């Protein structure tokens, strides 16, 4: 198979593109375990800006459930823990991060966008944070940091989908551009990222973030370790399918 993540280096900029377009770049172990060391190792390799994007039509469809029938509750828990580890690495990266979102960013994919410092939709995009629907607490604190506590609770508890216009008005994303605007966005982000010495940039960056890593991981594990995780996910999938079928009538 092709590499799960494509890495392209241009000077101080590292572009990481999720490369499972056939499954809308859903976060399976292959992508997570390729992306995590790339994010963690980038600052030590002289990278000053990390750009995250997806191959194909969509940024990321969220948690990969393609093998759900073969997974145990424990398997699912481990995968969720590794995704949270990745999200924390992106959110607390000592270098600026830029998400370029095309198409759908759902579930853990939307959480990955929210974990980035600057978040741009290219063309059109849509977002959803459905984890609470099957009893998972994932990413809510980071979402609240972007859109505010009350809005985050409304989005997560209500299970609403956001288009790019609403996401922009709420502060989940910073801008909507076309493909021709990408180079300018990267240039502006690079200029900011390289203006300061890397050590002081990392220090200043860290001071602007609440460090909720331990609490967020504990909340995720507590929610996911309740017996019946797989059954809850499967029930949620059925509910989504019924709702989709009803809309199609």
């Amino acid at each position: 198979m092709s590499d799960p993540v494509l890495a392209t280096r241009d000077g101080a900029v590292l572009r990481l593109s999720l490369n499972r377009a056939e499954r809308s770049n859903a976060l399976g172990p292959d992508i997570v375990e390729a992306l995590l060391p790339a994010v963690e190792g980038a600052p030590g390799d002289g990278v000053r800006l990390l750009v995250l994007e997806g191959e194909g039509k969509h940024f990321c469809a969220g948690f990969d459930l393609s093998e759900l029938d073969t997974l145990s509750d424990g398997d699912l828990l481990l995968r969720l823990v590794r995704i949270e580890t990745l999200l924390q690495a992106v959110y607390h990266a000592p270098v600026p991060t830029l998400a370029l979102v095309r198409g759908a960013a759902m579930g853990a994919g939307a959480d990955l966008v929210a974990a980035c410092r600057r978040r741009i939709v290219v063309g059109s995009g849509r977002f959803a944070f459905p984890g609470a629907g099957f009893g998972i607490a994932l990413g809510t604190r980071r979402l609240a940091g972007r859109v505010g506590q009350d809005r985050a609770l409304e989005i997560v508890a209500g299970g609403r989908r956001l288009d790019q216009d609403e996401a922009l008005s709420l502060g989940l994303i910073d801008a909507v551009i076309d493909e021709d605007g990408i180079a300018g966005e990267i240039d502006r982000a690079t200029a900011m990222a390289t203006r300061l010495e890397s050590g002081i940039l990392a220090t200043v960056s860290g001071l602007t973030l609440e460090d909720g890593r331990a609490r967020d991981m504990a909340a995720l594990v507590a929610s996911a370790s309740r017996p019946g995780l797989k059954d809850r996910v499967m029930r949620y999938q059925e509910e989504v399918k019924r709702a989709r079928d009803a809309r199609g009538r």
Side-chain angles (χ1 to χ4, degrees):
M1 291 185 68
S2 57
D3 293 338
V5 174
L6 301 179
T8 305
R9 181 74 178 266
D10 182 10
V13 179
L14 178 61
R15 295 178 71 162
L16 300 173
S17 188
L18 312 186
N19 190 33
R20 289 291 180 262
E22 70 278 3
R23 62 183 194 225
S24 299
N25 299 316
L27 292 180
D30 55 348
I31 287 183
V32 173
E33 300 306 328
L35 196 55
L36 183 55
V39 170
E40 292 178 332
D45 194 30
V47 172
R48 301 296 299 272
L49 174 68
L50 274 173
V51 180
L52 301 182
E53 55 195 320
E55 295 294 303
K57 295 181 179 179
H58 300 295
F59 178 77
C60 178
F63 187 39
D64 185 4
L65 298 174
S66 60
E67 300 174 344
L68 183 61
D69 290 345
T70 68
L71 301 177
S72 67
D73 280 4
D75 296 328
L76 289 169
L77 174 58
L78 176 58
R79 292 193 181 191
L80 287 165
V81 165
R82 294 300 287 168
I83 288 174
E84 173 63 18
T85 302
L86 169 63
L87 297 174
Q88 292 186 3
V90 172
Y91 190 66
H92 291 278
V95 297
T97 49
L98 168 64
L100 297 176
V101 182
R102 300 172 183 85
M106 300 294 171
D111 290 320
L112 184 57
V113 175
C116 291
R117 281 287 189 161
R118 186 158 175 81
R119 304 161 305 279
I120 304 295
V121 164
V122 181
S124 64
R126 58 187 187 275
F127 304 84
F129 299 82
F134 47 87
I136 296 298
L138 178 69
T140 305
R141 190 190 311 276
R142 289 180 292 268
L143 176 62
R146 304 307 185 200
V147 305
Q149 296 174 342
D150 293 340
R151 290 296 191 187
L153 179 59
E154 176 192 347
I155 292 167
V156 171
R160 291 195 302 110
R161 293 192 175 196
L162 312 176
D163 63 17
Q164 72 272 4
D165 294 332
E166 185 173 10
L168 180 62
S169 69
L170 292 174
L172 175 58
I173 61 171
D174 298 300
V176 179
I177 64 173
D178 58 24
E179 292 286 342
D180 292 338
I182 292 176
E185 281 291 339
I186 293 177
D187 287 346
R188 282 188 288 272
T190 303
M192 188 201 77
T194 55
R195 178 178 175 272
L196 299 177
E197 184 270 331
S198 59
I200 190 62
L201 178 61
T203 298
V204 171
S205 177
L207 291 172
T208 64
L209 297 174
E210 177 188 3
D211 191 348
R213 280 174 281 193
R215 286 175 291 168
D216 288 346
M217 186 65 80
L220 168 66
V221 172
S223 65
S225 61
R226 292 188 295 114
L229 173 60
K230 179 176 177 177
D231 290 340
R232 293 196 300 275
V233 174
M234 294 180 74
R235 284 197 300 271
Y236 178 80
Q237 283 186 308
E238 286 299 318
E239 290 171 4
V240 170
K241 184 179 183 300
R242 284 197 296 270
R244 186 184 300 119
D245 292 344
R247 289 195 299 269
R249 291 190 190 120

